[in-house]
Amino acid sequence: MLLTDTDHQVEVATVDENGKPVSLEGLEARVYKVAWRWWWSQEQENFANYLSNSEYNLITKKTFNTLNGTGNFTFQIKYPDWGRYLIRITDPIGGHATGKTVYVDWPGWAGRARSENPGGASMLTFSLDKKKYEVGETVRVTVPTSEGGKLLYSLENGSEVIESKWYPTEKDQTIIELEARSNMAPNAYVHITYLQPHAQTANDLPIRLYGILPVLVEDPATRLEPQIAMADELRPEEEFEIKVSEKDGKDMTYTLAVVDEGLLDLTRFKTPNPHWTFYAREALGVKTWDLYQYVIGAYSGKLNALLALGGDEELKAQDEKAKRFKPVVRFLGPFEYTGGTNEHTLKLPNYVGSVRVMVVAGQDKAYGRAEKAVPVKKPLMVMTTLPRVLGPGEELQLPVNVFAMDEKVKRVKLKVSGNEQFEILNPNHQLQFDQIGDQLIYVQVKVKQSVGKGTLRVEAKSGSETSFEELEVQVRNANSPTFQMTSEIVSSGNGVQLDYEPLGIAGTRGAEIEFSSIPQSIWVIECITC
């Protein structure tokens, strides 16, 4: 926004078709006042339509030159004029032109330009002096009016009318001042009904105009500011402390969570913000009716109603991340805080990656949160990848990535072991590191002829530093189950001998025997997944 009674300099750049600066002479600059004209149009059906259009009035005209692609000129708008202005630059020789719209006013009237272009006949456009207020500040409402009328001011929220009052209108504008209070948080609505004298001739607006504006109010007393103090780096399987406090020492009840960031990234999880939830912007819950549109006035046409719909700001683009870590989740609480510092001792499992420490707090309608991302690593680390499932008799090359994150890690001994499901063909390895980095090796692993849960353990040692990783994988047969059935009849006083031969591989066999007094008497069922 530009100010009246002030010289304003307009910078102009001129370039050729290749974008290179050029010097031009005789450029013409014009400044227009953009005004709005509006009128009523009545059709044969006796319905009245509200129409509007804009007009441009020349205020200033100047000629100037540019040197090496740059130039400028100045203009000034005198007080008390205000509104929207169009700055248009024309090259009379080349025929090119450009323009820009600016708003000019004096201090304290930002946003009043809305009253220049009302969107409907019965719509009253007024303005606030600020976009957001804190409790205790003065809210200044400016309403364009004429003398002799009445304003019904009503302050409303999502469920009730907080206050209402009548004001006499003044010439040009009427100013209403009110104090931002805690019961207006997170927002309230200023609803103004403007009543003009019956049969007045000062303008041809309807007898009744109305408008609504939201007033955003921030109450500092509803915010808590939890603080997290802890180490900037953690090591797996070692205890660490988390210190929790409140910035101003306010009492609070809070929960503490330590969660693997790789897991949180799967759903783009954000640390819960209870203040945003409990103090989200409220919709207007008060409905208002009147009969003024049916009062016969200077214009007797039927006026079309003005409808408007609101929107939502919930959907926002989020950045996606791709990480693969073992999930780590620790949730503690709730805890009471009454000043000072609360200390919590935790221990992470054998895990390498990054965790997010989250504190969510609330107390007496005040809410807050805090978070801190902390890497979890060791000077020596191993990372292994396995398929999701394996089959009996399969062989695989197990990739093992060894990370040396400290210069003291030079010689690393690597050992791979497994449970009864696996046979490790080359379990022992040695690696040499000359600098910080990582090396990838492959270990030959064979799956035995059995099914069940397999476990692999990879362990690395270098001096006093050790690191290990344990992986579990399901060994299962991909074939459909196979059944074998045998039946025998047992006569009175005799017996039957059944020969049982195991079918399939270990871990998949099962048998059932059934006796019945009717044929068939004995069933032997062997089932296998092979």
Side-chain angles (χ1 to χ4, degrees):
M1 187 188 77
L2 306 180
L3 301 179
T4 56
D5 288 339
T6 303
D7 288 329
H8 297 286
Q9 182 170 286
V10 180
E11 300 289 340
V12 181
T14 53
V15 297
D16 60 14
E17 61 274 10
N18 298 319
K20 296 182 179 180
V22 296
S23 300
L24 296 178
E25 297 182 356
L27 296 179
E28 187 176 83
R30 297 191 179 194
V31 180
Y32 296 90
K33 172 69 180 292
V34 182
W36 289 92
R37 297 179 60 85
W38 58 274
W39 62 94
W40 291 103
S41 175
Q42 183 175 355
E43 301 176 357
Q44 294 181 357
E45 291 83 1
N46 201 32
F47 283 95
N49 292 321
Y50 177 80
L51 305 178
S52 65
N53 203 347
S54 58
E55 66 176 7
Y56 300 85
N57 300 319
L58 181 62
I59 303 298
T60 301
K61 179 180 178 180
K62 291 186 177 183
T63 302
F64 68 101
N65 305 325
T66 61
L67 180 62
N68 295 327
T70 59
N72 61 77
F73 70 93
T74 59
F75 74 97
Q76 184 183 100
I77 304 299
K78 294 293 185 181
Y79 177 87
D81 201 3
W82 62 279
R84 294 174 58 198
Y85 291 82
L86 172 64
I87 302 173
R88 181 177 170 84
I89 312 296
T90 306
D91 179 11
I93 300 176
H96 295 278
T98 185
K100 182 179 179 64
T101 301
V102 297
Y103 181 66
V104 181
D105 210 338
W106 55 90
W109 297 89
R112 190 177 59 179
R114 296 175 55 189
S115 62
E116 291 187 295
N117 182 27
S122 60
M123 183 176 180
L124 177 66
T125 56
F126 56 94
S127 63
L128 306 175
D129 60 328
K130 293 177 64 176
K131 292 183 178 180
K132 180 177 275 190
Y133 302 86
E134 286 195 1
V135 172
E137 292 185 338
T138 300
V139 180
R140 186 184 179 100
V141 185
T142 302
V143 188
T145 58
S146 58
E147 286 184 303
K150 288 282 189 179
L151 285 182
L152 174 58
Y153 149 78
S154 176
L155 184 63
E156 305 164 356
N157 60 18
S159 59
E160 63 179 349
V161 176
I162 300 176
E163 64 181 21
S164 61
K165 187 176 180 181
W166 285 96
Y167 288 88
T169 59
E170 302 175 1
K171 184 180 180 181
D172 296 332
Q173 65 212 6
T174 301
I175 298 176
I176 301 175
E177 293 185 349
L178 62 144
E179 181 184 357
R181 302 183 295 274
S182 59
N183 62 343
M184 296 168 60
N187 68 286
Y189 291 86
V190 174
H191 184 177
I192 293 181
T193 301
Y194 174 28
L195 302 180
Q196 298 198 98
H198 188 271
Q200 57 84 27
T201 58
N203 57 65
D204 56 353
L205 290 171
I207 291 177
R208 185 268 286 133
L209 296 92
Y210 67 94
I212 300 174
L213 273 184
V215 182
L216 305 181
V217 178
E218 172 73 20
D219 187 0
T222 64
R223 288 193 177 274
L224 294 173
E225 297 186 52
Q227 306 290 307
I228 298 175
M230 61 179 299
D232 294 330
E233 183 178 303
L234 303 177
R235 296 186 62 162
E237 299 186 298
E238 291 187 6
E239 291 186 347
F240 62 94
E241 285 190 350
I242 300 177
K243 298 181 179 180
V244 179
S245 61
E246 207 283 329
K247 183 178 179 181
D248 299 320
K250 298 179 182 178
D251 293 348
M252 64 179 182
T253 301
Y254 66 93
T255 57
L256 175 65
V258 181
V259 184
D260 172 19
E261 286 220 78
L263 181 62
L264 299 177
D265 288 339
L266 293 176
T267 57
R268 299 195 294 270
F269 182 85
K270 292 185 177 181
T271 302
N273 188 348
H275 189 276
W276 188 93
T277 301
F278 289 108
Y279 288 91
R281 181 171 170 175
E282 297 180 352
L284 179 62
V286 178
K287 296 182 178 180
T288 305
W289 294 269
D290 62 45
L291 301 175
Y292 283 104
Q293 62 177 330
Y294 302 109
V295 176
I296 299 177
Y299 191 87
S300 58
K302 296 181 180 179
L303 306 183
N304 291 337
L306 180 68
L307 302 176
L309 295 176
D312 201 327
E313 301 178 358
E314 179 67 21
L315 298 179
K316 294 183 179 178
Q318 302 288 339
D319 294 332
E320 295 187 2
K321 299 179 181 178
K323 296 181 180 179
R324 187 176 178 181
F325 299 109
K326 279 189 175 181
V328 173
V329 178
R330 296 288 185 272
F331 185 83
L332 306 174
F335 302 102
E336 297 290 336
Y337 173 85
T338 57
T341 301
N342 287 6
E343 297 184 0
H344 305 275
T345 302
L346 287 81
K347 183 178 180 181
L348 293 178
N350 181 42
Y351 164 83
V352 174
S354 177
V355 294
R356 187 193 305 175
V357 181
M358 296 175 283
V359 172
V360 179
Q363 185 85 10
D364 300 329
K365 297 183 179 180
Y367 305 94
R369 65 170 180 172
E371 64 177 31
K372 182 176 182 178
V374 185
V376 182
K377 59 183 182 180
K378 299 174 67 175
L380 178 62
M381 298 182 294
V382 292
M383 183 175 294
T384 310
T385 304
L386 265 179
R388 295 182 61 185
V389 292
L390 292 172
E394 292 183 344
E395 294 187 11
L396 72 146
Q397 296 282 344
L398 177 67
V400 180
N401 213 351
V402 182
F403 296 86
M405 309 303 295
D406 195 308
E407 293 183 352
K408 67 181 181 180
V409 178
K410 298 296 183 181
R411 196 173 187 180
V412 178
K413 292 182 179 180
L414 186 70
K415 182 179 180 181
V416 180
S417 59
N419 65 350
E420 65 278 1
Q421 299 289 344
F422 299 108
E423 179 183 355
I424 312 301
L425 303 182
N426 53 340
N428 299 310
H429 297 266
Q430 288 193 5
L431 302 119
Q432 182 68 37
F433 287 89
D434 297 327
Q435 59 184 3
I436 294 176
D438 66 287
Q439 294 185 29
L440 178 65
I441 65 168
Y442 292 90
V443 179
Q444 190 74 15
V445 179
K446 183 177 181 179
V447 184
K448 296 181 181 180
Q449 291 294 333
S450 62
V451 297
K453 184 170 67 174
T455 303
L456 286 172
R457 178 184 174 92
V458 180
E459 185 174 355
K461 292 183 179 181
S462 178
S464 60
E465 297 292 341
T466 61
S467 179
F468 72 93
E469 183 176 18
E470 289 186 349
L471 302 172
E472 291 184 353
V473 62
Q474 190 68 31
V475 179
R476 60 50 175 152
N477 206 311
N479 296 333
S480 301
T482 299
F483 301 91
Q484 186 181 67
M485 182 174 58
T486 303
S487 63
E488 293 288 348
I489 299 177
V490 183
S491 59
S492 178
N494 298 319
V496 173
Q497 180 177 346
L498 299 176
D499 295 328
Y500 175 75
E501 295 182 1
L503 178 66
I505 61 177
T508 66
R509 302 163 182 165
E512 293 182 2
I513 183 168
E514 180 181 339
F515 297 88
S516 176
S517 60
I518 60 175
Q520 302 121 340
S521 298
I522 301 177
W523 293 82
V524 177
I525 303 176
E526 296 181 350
C527 58
I528 177 175
T529 303
C530 62

